[in-house]
Amino acid sequence: MIRRLFLSILALVSIAIATRIWSEDEIQRYEKRYKGEYLPRPETTPFGPRRFNYLKRKKWVCEFVARYQVSDSLSPDFGGIIEAEHLPTIIETDNTQEAIWVWSRHYQITGSDYYQENIRRAWIYVLRNPAYREHGGNPGNIWYAVWNCGLGLMAESKYRQAYQDSSYLFYADSCRDFYLKHPLNPNNILENFVTAQASGMAYDYALERNDQELLDTALARGTRVKNWIEENARSRLAYQSWAMCGGTAFWGVCHTFCKADTVAGKAWIETYAESLPGFYPSGTWNCSHNIWLANAYRAAAEIGHNEEDWEIHQYLTDTLLMRDTDLDGGIPATWTDPNTQDQTWVSTYLDFMGLDVLFDTIYPNDLCLYEFISPSPSGFYIEGDTVTPKFPIENVGLTPVSGYVHCRVDSGYEEQREIAGFPPEDQDTLSFPPVALERGVRRFWAYFTGDSNPKNDSIFANIKVYGRFTLSGLLLDSVSSIPILAWVKAYLGNDTTVWDSCLTNRSGGFSLNLIDSTFRVTIEPEPPYYRRSWTIPLTGDTNIVLLTSPAEVMIVNNDSLENYSSYYTSSLDSLNVSWCLWKKPSQGPVPYDLFDRLEKRTVIWFTGNTRTQTVPVSDQESLANFILRGGNLLLTGQNIAEELAGTHFLENIIGCRFDSSGYSGFLAFGNRSDSLGRNVIGTATAGGNGANNQTSRDIILPLSNATLFMVYDTVTNLGAGIRREAPFGAKVIFLGFGFEAVNRPASRPQYWTRTQLMGLMLDWLFAPTGIAEKPLSESSAPRLTILPRVFQNHLLVKTATPVQIALFDITGREVATFYPDSGTAVWNLSSLPTGIYFARTPDSKAVSLVKVR
């Protein structure tokens, strides 16, 4: 976070400081606060046809720089190069010397003397403001003058070579003398970079001039930088400082030590090129750093002859050319800068370090084919699809070109187009007749014959064409093998769009039309099953059997508008608890017959904003019956206790009494006296990422064998939540507020999240008690018939075999037992008061009964 903030600030101040000389304090602050990240070299680079007409791009750079030359002959800055589009008052020698090199090189290549007047004016400025004076009069900034002297040697050499004019040799010699007299600090990162840059340029100049003193000095200083790199190559080559970086240091070593001893130099490059980063992704002026990085890979390739280094150089150059989004020949210094802040110095960098080596000569007759637009290597193709081959062409030669452009596909397709008198610098996009695609890896190939340069006459594109296949199968219950009704949907990889889907038939069968790839197959079944997915690689027609089991938990949404389900499902998903959902208002009566099939026999019933019919009478009886059969219930809602106050369900089944509603606080805590509650440090029921829907929090009191496990405050212990172990292994939790509102406030990072609280409650609900029995399927459970279900005094009891029957009241208390002598008997219950009762054998489901007067 600190570094990001610093970079943001640095990006703002860069407008003011541009590439002007930094003070020693500025450099130290920058180096203390920012260090570039190392991005590994790519394992493979996009190798293929060139994307750009590099000669045309070079001309654009020349034009861009010329637009920013001071043309007012009365100005003291006459002939100098303005720093950038948005920095009109900054004119400096380094920019101007680089421009001399760029314009001179253009003449050397093309023979066009278009920029001779620009060069003349530039020399006027440079002689008025020589490189060795570029340190602001501060001896601590001598490094900036040394930097400029290196550029001075380079500019004069290129001008002399291009124009065969040694008029400015004296200026280069003055730069040479300054360089010799001013070694830089070997303990300073930036000055090591400058030493490498200036020494590399001085060594090249010394070779040209046969200057042994300069040669020896440059070699010694370059070797010193080599030793400095070797001390910590990965870190130092990843470093960025001012307009330079580790790539600058590497280039300087290549142009001194490695040139002096090519055998040892090649071995050094093979050892240390692996420590060069693949890209500088961030940092002020990182476009400049990446151009230097491209230059380092170029130097490595020129000496080590490694094709991969050439590829990375071209890849980096192409990547930086893409920053010329307004096609004016200029690029910004920092990747994130807009195209209204293009800078001349970084654009000339791109020319002499990147573009220049990507063409070796201009041919009189040269047609260039660029990479395929269609088909696209990243496109998606299925057998039977048709593709129209399409790609751009450009005449990059000096004269009109004629001939035939051919296009082939390995499936037997071949077409050609005639090019007649295609003018220089013209561009066009060729389109060929459509081709039907066959399954497999298809190779497209286009080529031109008859020009002077075969290097850019061929392009290739390999695409994968997918086959069409069927995935069919059955969806069955993993225990009973019964068919499951569900939507089966297939998603390609990580896509969120359904590729194909179908509804299973009565046998659980499904069939999907897919391709030979990897799919995520998802089922969306009705309760008690749950949504789940499988990853299936498809290589041909495939038949499978998908087995699944009922969910662990069923959620019953009884909110009047069916809101808030996601607050529950997201918590369960985080806990890896499987769930199914029943929306009572729209789906109708709750399917209680499915509860016993749930893997954990656990139901979560929530009411959201419902104020009446929070738990209707018919549902109260069914839930009570479920609990007396050993099922677990988590009941939560802000209006439940208030509405059900005094009912048998609330007080005898759930185990609590309504105290009051409208508690004004919004925090809840674990009851420190309860073994479960003491774990909950605290949580909130308002604000944060909760539902924020609580308007009437109920205060409750525990009854029977229930215990208070959550409270609204830890002083008065006002009841917020109770838990109860019911008969037959059942467990009940009731919250007097809506669980959907639970959240951890940002101001209290130690409090519990909604997921933490759900996890605690489910752990307790799921834990065995030693009383609960695993429910038997209907086919294996002993049959118990009791008639009538509503009675006054007597019951008729039928059992398949003699077995003891127990009778429980609504609180779960056993009130009577009966052991019939035969399979059919009369049970006299005249002594019992009226009310709701449940009868069961040790191995049967409970039967609900109502005694009336």
Side-chain angles (χ1 to χ4, degrees):
M1 183 65 187
I2 293 175
R3 189 178 71 187
R4 287 181 181 175
L5 178 61
F6 173 72
L7 291 177
S8 300
I9 296 172
L10 201 57
L12 293 174
V13 301
S14 68
I15 295 177
I17 61 180
T19 49
R20 67 163 174 79
I21 184 170
W22 279 9
S23 68
E24 186 173 357
D25 183 55
E26 284 175 320
I27 294 170
Q28 288 179 353
R29 288 201 308 270
Y30 180 80
E31 292 186 348
K32 285 179 180 179
R33 298 191 183 190
Y34 173 70
K35 184 176 185 301
E37 297 180 13
Y38 177 83
L39 193 68
R41 292 175 62 168
E43 293 182 5
T44 59
T45 53
F47 182 64
R50 296 171 178 177
R51 300 180 183 178
F52 301 97
N53 181 341
Y54 296 112
L55 180 61
K56 178 186 288 187
R57 291 305 181 109
K58 184 177 184 69
K59 176 69 179 297
W60 289 2
V61 173
C62 292
E63 288 292 311
F64 176 76
V65 176
R67 286 198 295 274
Y68 290 93
Q69 185 175 41
V70 178
S71 58
D72 181 2
S73 60
L74 299 180
S75 169
D77 294 320
F78 174 68
I81 304 300
I82 295 170
E83 184 92 343
E85 290 179 322
H86 59 300
L87 302 169
T89 61
I90 301 178
I91 300 99
E92 294 189 335
T93 301
D94 53 355
N95 311 328
T96 310
Q97 292 179 145
E98 292 158 9
I100 291 173
W101 191 101
V102 168
W103 290 326
S104 299
R105 177 61 173 155
H106 183 267
Y107 171 73
Q108 186 181 38
I109 295 171
T110 65
S112 170
D113 204 15
Y114 185 81
Y115 300 104
Q116 186 176 35
E117 180 61 22
N118 297 97
I119 295 173
R120 184 190 70 80
R121 294 176 177 181
W123 275 121
I124 292 174
Y125 178 87
V126 169
L127 295 180
R128 287 178 178 174
N129 304 275
Y132 44 82
R133 291 181 185 166
E134 290 281 313
H135 53 80
N138 182 356
N141 292 332
I142 288 296
W143 61 268
Y144 193 68
V146 172
W147 153 264
N148 267 281
C149 284
L151 294 174
L153 295 173
M154 185 183 76
E156 189 281 330
S157 173
K158 183 55 64 179
Y159 171 81
R160 180 164 31 86
Q161 293 172 21
Y163 286 93
Q164 298 297 302
D165 180 359
S166 58
S167 301
Y168 302 103
L169 191 59
F170 74 93
Y171 174 74
D173 287 340
S174 67
C175 293
R176 166 205 183 267
D177 294 342
F178 190 89
Y179 166 81
L180 289 173
K181 293 176 182 177
H182 294 91
L184 300 179
N185 181 3
N187 297 316
N188 181 287
I189 293 175
L190 176 58
E191 295 194 23
N192 271 296
F193 291 165
V194 173
T195 296
Q197 169 264 341
S199 298
M201 294 175 178
Y203 192 88
D204 290 342
Y205 183 83
L207 285 174
E208 179 189 356
R209 301 281 292 141
N210 195 24
D211 184 336
Q212 193 61 47
E213 180 185 7
L214 183 61
L215 199 70
D216 292 342
T217 302
L219 176 59
R221 294 179 185 176
T223 302
R224 189 189 75 197
V225 175
K226 175 187 81 74
N227 298 334
W228 175 78
I229 290 174
E230 291 172 1
E231 291 173 5
N232 191 347
R234 177 62 61 87
S235 173
R236 288 174 177 174
L237 292 178
Y239 211 88
Q240 301 154 253
S241 183
W242 191 61
M244 288 179 285
C245 62
T248 313
F250 190 94
W251 177 88
V253 174
C254 288
H255 275 250
T256 53
F257 171 79
C258 297
K259 275 193 174 182
D261 186 341
T262 55
V263 175
K266 185 174 181 179
W268 189 85
I269 288 171
E270 289 176 352
T271 301
Y272 289 99
E274 290 298 324
S275 294
L276 282 169
F279 194 74
Y280 294 109
S282 58
T284 301
W285 304 336
N286 67 318
C287 286
S288 166
H289 306 147
N290 282 300
I291 296 170
W292 269 114
L293 183 61
N295 207 29
Y297 279 111
R298 168 187 172 179
E302 289 172 335
I303 296 172
H305 306 294
N306 185 337
E307 187 66 26
E308 182 184 306
D309 292 333
W310 279 122
E311 292 173 22
I312 298 176
H313 170 268
Q314 181 176 343
Y315 176 73
L316 288 167
T317 301
D318 285 353
T319 301
L320 291 163
L321 279 170
M322 293 178 193
R323 294 302 301 136
D324 184 11
T325 56
D326 53 0
L327 302 180
D328 65 350
I331 66 170
T334 304
W335 189 267
T336 53
D337 286 346
N339 59 20
T340 55
Q341 295 184 10
D342 292 339
Q343 306 212 23
T344 55
W345 62 276
V346 74
S347 303
T348 55
Y349 275 17
L350 181 57
D351 184 291
F352 70 79
M353 296 188 209
L355 292 172
D356 190 67
V357 76
L358 293 177
F359 53 87
D360 40 28
T361 188
I362 300 177
Y363 296 88
N365 190 269
D366 190 4
L367 185 72
C368 177
L369 276 61
Y370 295 119
E371 61 189 356
F372 278 95
I373 298 172
S374 172
S376 168
S378 60
F380 193 86
Y381 304 97
I382 303 175
E383 63 178 333
D385 289 350
T386 58
V387 168
T388 300
K390 190 182 300 184
F391 51 87
I393 61 171
E394 183 174 5
N395 186 347
V396 297
L398 299 175
T399 61
V401 63
S402 300
Y404 287 91
V405 178
H406 300 262
C407 181
R408 292 179 176 177
V409 184
D410 59 1
S411 57
Y413 171 99
E414 182 169 2
E415 297 286 343
Q416 67 180 25
R417 288 281 304 274
E418 183 178 9
I419 304 298
F422 196 57
E425 295 195 4
D426 263 20
Q427 289 182 306
D428 195 6
T429 298
L430 296 187
S431 181
F432 291 80
V435 55
L437 298 177
E438 298 178 7
R439 181 188 172 210
V441 177
R442 299 273 72 91
R443 183 175 179 83
F444 285 68
W445 175 31
Y447 63 94
F448 177 77
T449 56
D451 67 6
S452 308
N453 178 22
K455 293 182 179 179
N456 56 10
D457 288 343
S458 297
I459 57 173
F460 301 91
N462 292 325
I463 64 171
K464 180 174 180 181
V465 181
Y466 292 88
R468 300 176 185 271
F469 297 105
T470 299
L471 175 65
S472 58
L474 297 173
L475 177 60
L476 305 176
D477 187 293
S478 58
V479 176
S480 65
S481 295
I482 62 172
I484 297 174
L485 181 67
W487 275 102
V488 182
K489 300 179 179 180
Y491 301 83
L492 181 62
N494 293 320
D495 284 357
T496 57
T497 302
V498 176
W499 181 281
D500 193 18
S501 65
C502 68
L503 187 65
T504 57
N505 58 29
R506 293 181 179 180
S507 300
F510 61 89
S511 181
L512 302 169
N513 295 315
L514 308 178
I515 61 173
D516 50 335
S517 188
T518 298
F519 282 86
R520 188 175 78 258
V521 177
T522 298
I523 61 168
E524 296 179 0
E526 294 293 325
Y529 301 98
Y530 61 99
R531 178 188 174 114
R532 60 176 301 192
S533 298
W534 293 262
T535 298
I536 301 175
L538 204 64
T539 57
D541 290 337
T542 303
N543 188 272
I544 59 174
V545 175
L546 300 179
L547 300 175
T548 190
S549 59
E552 296 172 283
V553 171
M554 181 183 287
I555 305 168
V556 177
N557 181 341
N558 195 36
D559 175 65
S560 55
L561 297 178
E562 297 186 350
N563 291 326
Y564 311 117
S565 292
S566 62
Y567 292 94
Y568 294 82
T569 58
S570 61
S571 295
L572 296 177
D573 287 340
S574 298
L575 296 167
N576 292 317
V577 174
S578 60
W579 52 268
C580 56
L581 175 65
W582 190 266
K583 297 180 179 180
K584 191 174 184 296
S586 63
Q587 291 181 273
V590 178
Y592 289 98
D593 58 312
L594 302 179
F595 282 13
D596 287 332
R597 295 178 59 191
L598 297 171
E599 186 175 334
K600 297 295 186 181
R601 300 187 73 211
T602 299
V603 173
I604 299 174
W605 181 295
F606 76 90
T607 58
N609 292 340
T610 298
R611 293 185 176 276
T612 61
Q613 296 296 302
T614 53
V615 186
V617 173
S618 59
D619 292 297
Q620 294 176 29
E621 180 181 344
S622 298
L623 287 173
N625 200 346
F626 172 61
I627 292 169
L628 290 173
R629 297 198 310 270
N632 300 323
L633 175 65
L634 168 56
L635 182 63
T636 173
Q638 57 187 324
N639 299 305
I640 297 174
E642 182 176 8
E643 186 194 12
L644 303 185
T647 63
H648 286 293
F649 179 75
L650 181 68
E651 297 190 354
N652 299 317
I653 298 299
I654 301 302
C656 72
R657 178 180 296 150
F658 172 68
D659 184 288
S660 61
S661 66
Y663 178 70
S664 60
F666 64 89
L667 297 179
F669 306 88
N671 183 2
R672 303 297 180 259
S673 300
D674 180 68
S675 60
L676 184 68
R678 70 180 57 155
N679 298 295
V680 184
I681 297 171
T683 193
T685 60
N689 63 356
N692 284 309
N693 66 329
Q694 302 300 291
T695 60
S696 179
R697 299 168 183 83
D698 289 341
I699 299 173
I700 54 179
L701 300 171
L703 296 176
S704 186
N705 63 335
T707 58
L708 196 63
F709 91 100
M710 289 201 72
V711 296
Y712 289 116
D713 69 78
T714 55
V715 177
T716 60
N717 280 346
L718 296 177
I722 62 101
R723 62 187 179 100
R724 172 178 179 246
E725 292 193 34
F728 311 112
K731 294 182 178 181
V732 176
I733 288 179
F734 174 53
L735 302 178
F737 55 87
F739 171 82
E740 65 271 11
V742 170
N743 70 90
R744 176 170 60 196
S747 60
R748 292 175 170 85
Q750 76 277 17
Y751 275 24
W752 277 36
T753 64
R754 195 163 48 251
T755 299
Q756 284 177 295
L757 181 58
M758 178 63 79
L760 178 77
M761 294 189 295
L762 290 184
D763 283 346
W764 182 76
L765 289 171
F766 290 170
T769 62
I771 300 174
E773 298 172 9
K774 184 175 181 181
L776 300 176
S777 66
E778 284 192 29
S779 60
S780 61
R783 184 177 299 276
L784 174 64
T785 303
I786 299 180
L787 297 173
R789 301 291 291 273
V790 179
F791 69 100
Q792 289 184 320
N793 294 310
H794 299 87
L795 291 171
L796 182 65
V797 178
K798 296 181 180 180
T799 60
T801 59
V803 64
Q804 180 170 302
I805 304 171
L807 190 70
F808 303 88
D809 65 14
I810 199 169
T811 68
R813 179 171 58 91
E814 185 176 313
V815 294
T817 58
F818 183 55
Y819 196 97
D821 295 333
S822 62
T824 301
V826 175
W827 193 358
N828 185 349
L829 294 173
S830 57
S831 62
L832 291 179
T834 58
I836 299 174
Y837 296 90
F838 300 91
R840 63 172 293 177
T841 69
D843 295 323
S844 73
K845 295 181 179 179
V847 176
S848 61
L849 306 166
V850 180
K851 184 177 181 181
V852 296
R853 293 184 183 275

